[in-house]
Amino acid sequence: MTDRRRVNGPPGGTSPPVFTPPPRLPHSTSTEQIHVRAPNEPRRIFLKTGLTPSASGSAYLELEPSPAAFEGGAKLLTNTSSGVKISCTVHGPRPLPRSAPFSPHLLLSTHIKFAPFAARQRRGYIRDASEKDLSVHLESALRGVVIGERWPKSGLEIIITVLEGEEDCPWDGKREGTGRTGGWGMMSVLSGCITVASAAIADTGIDCVGLVTGGMAAIVSQPSSKAFESPQKRLTREAESTTHSKIIIDPCPSEHEEIGAACVVAYLQSRDEITELWAKGDAMNSVINQKPDQIGLDVLMDQAVEAAIAVRLVLIEAISESTELKLRRRK
C-alpha cells in the first residue's frame, strides 16, 4: 500500500545532466573568436513593452549573442559568448508615506539586481557593490528626463532584473576571469538598462522631456591573423605592427583580445544632451588605426552617441507598436 501523503520519485533511475565543453576545432584552425560585425554595426535588439500587467509599465530588452565565428571558417552549434537579457518594471507614481518629508518633485529610485543564473558563476541573492553602482548610474541618467515637478510628494520605483549579463571572456575557459560578469561587460549591461528603463517609463505614461537611450563604444585591439598568410604578408605584419586598434560601437567583450578604453553614454536626442557618462580605460594612449591625431575621449564619445541614436530607432518602433495595441484594446 502506497503512502498518499508522500510524493514518490520516478520509478526508474535518473542521472543529472552533464554539460560538456564545446568540441575542439581542427589544429589547422585558430580557436580565437573573431569579430564578424562591421565597426559601426550594432547588434540586433529585441525590445517589447507591456509584458507585466501588474506593473504600471514594463519592458524587456534582449541583445543577441555574437555568433561563434573563428578564423578559417569553423563554426559551432552553440554560442561561446553571452548576450544581454534585461527585464524592467516601473511602479508608480505612488504617494510617499506620511512620515516622509515633503518633496516638491517626484522622487526617483532605481534598483538593479542580477539574477543568480545571469552568469556562468552563480551570483548571490544580496546586491553587491557593482549592482549598487549600476543603480546610481541609471538614476543619474533618468533624473533629468522625467518631469518630476508634476508629481509632488510622490515616488517612482524602477526595478531591473538582469536575466543574462555580458561576460568579459568567452566560455571556452582559456582566459582568466571566465564566467565573471564585470568590467567591460558591466558597461554593456548599463547601456541596456538605460534603454529598457526609458521604454518602461514611456509605457507607464509619465511625462518626459524625451526618450533617452544608452550607447557604448570601445577601442579594441585586434591581433593580426597568423593563420593562412603568405610569407610576404607575415614580413609586412612583423615590420609594421602585430596589433590593429579601432573603434567599434556596441562591442562584445568576449570577441576581442584586448579593450583599451570604453565609453557608455545616456543620450537625449530631443535636446542633444548627454545625461550620463561612464568612461573606463586610457583613451589617450590608445592608437586608432595607427593615426595619433584621432586619439582622445571625444572621438569615443561621438561613437557612443551614434550607437545611442541607432538604438533610439528601435525604441521608437517598440513604443509605437505598444501604443497602437493599447488603442485597439480600448476600441
Side-chain angles (χ1 to χ4, degrees):
M1 184 175 180
T2 59
D3 189 359
R4 298 180 180 178
R5 299 182 180 179
R6 179 175 298 176
V7 180
N8 298 321
T14 59
S15 58
V18 178
F19 299 95
T20 59
R24 294 185 177 182
L25 300 176
H27 296 288
S28 61
T29 305
S30 175
T31 58
E32 292 293 337
Q33 190 172 357
I34 60 176
H35 184 70
V36 296
R37 293 182 288 117
N40 58 347
E41 178 185 358
R43 287 176 288 182
R44 291 186 293 181
I45 304 174
F46 174 80
L47 181 61
K48 192 172 181 62
T49 60
L51 298 179
T52 307
S54 59
S56 303
S58 60
Y60 174 77
L61 180 139
E62 183 174 344
L63 293 177
E64 65 169 357
S66 299
F70 299 86
E71 294 182 3
K75 296 182 179 180
L76 297 178
L77 296 178
T78 59
N79 292 317
T80 59
S81 61
S82 59
V84 177
K85 298 178 181 179
I86 305 174
S87 175
C88 178
T89 56
V90 177
H91 302 276
R94 297 174 176 177
L96 296 177
R98 296 182 178 180
S99 59
F102 176 77
S103 176
H105 53 80
L106 181 70
L107 295 181
L108 181 66
S109 62
T110 57
H111 184 280
I112 298 179
K113 181 69 181 72
F114 280 81
F117 49 84
R120 291 181 65 86
Q121 184 173 354
R122 193 170 181 85
R123 301 181 69 97
Y125 292 94
I126 302 177
R127 289 202 306 167
D128 54 9
S130 61
E131 294 168 338
K132 295 179 181 179
D133 189 23
L134 287 180
S135 301
V136 173
H137 283 290
L138 180 62
E139 183 179 355
S140 300
L142 302 176
R143 186 180 299 275
V145 178
V146 179
I147 305 177
E149 291 78 9
R150 299 186 180 181
W151 289 276
K153 202 177 181 182
S154 300
L156 184 68
E157 188 177 7
I158 301 175
I159 301 176
I160 291 181
T161 303
V162 181
L163 303 177
E164 183 177 350
E166 196 85 79
E167 297 183 359
D168 294 344
C169 302
W171 293 353
D172 52 4
K174 293 183 179 181
R175 301 185 198 173
E176 183 181 358
T178 300
R180 301 290 297 180
T181 304
W184 308 111
M186 195 72 72
M187 303 181 73
S188 181
V189 171
L190 176 62
S191 176
C193 289
I194 295 173
T195 303
V196 72
S198 179
I201 292 175
D203 184 59
T204 307
I206 298 177
D207 295 337
C208 302
V209 297
L211 296 176
V212 61
T213 54
M216 179 180 177
I219 302 177
V220 300
S221 299
Q222 293 282 14
S224 301
S225 176
K226 300 180 182 179
F228 307 103
E229 64 178 0
S230 61
Q232 183 178 2
K233 290 184 178 180
R234 185 180 297 107
L235 292 176
T236 304
R237 173 177 57 82
E238 293 177 355
E240 295 179 354
S241 177
T242 57
T243 59
H244 178 69
S245 300
K246 60 182 178 180
I247 290 184
I248 62 173
I249 64 174
D250 192 14
C252 181
S254 58
E255 289 182 350
H256 310 285
E257 186 71 20
E258 182 182 357
I259 298 180
C263 177
V264 178
V265 298
Y267 183 63
L268 187 62
Q269 188 177 6
S270 59
R271 292 190 174 184
D272 193 18
E273 295 180 0
I274 295 179
T275 59
E276 178 61 16
L277 173 65
W278 183 15
K280 183 179 179 181
D282 191 359
M284 301 301 297
N285 295 331
S286 300
V287 181
I288 306 172
N289 293 330
Q290 309 298 333
K291 295 180 180 180
D293 56 337
Q294 297 183 1
I295 299 176
L297 183 60
D298 295 339
V299 180
L300 197 60
M301 290 175 53
D302 293 340
Q303 294 298 320
V305 169
E306 293 295 331
I309 294 176
V311 175
R312 189 176 186 272
L313 300 177
V314 181
L315 178 60
I316 293 177
E317 184 177 356
I319 294 176
S320 301
E321 181 181 354
S322 177
T323 304
E324 293 178 0
L325 184 60
K326 290 180 180 179
L327 295 177
R328 292 177 184 176
R329 291 177 179 177
R330 292 180 180 179
K331 292 181 181 180

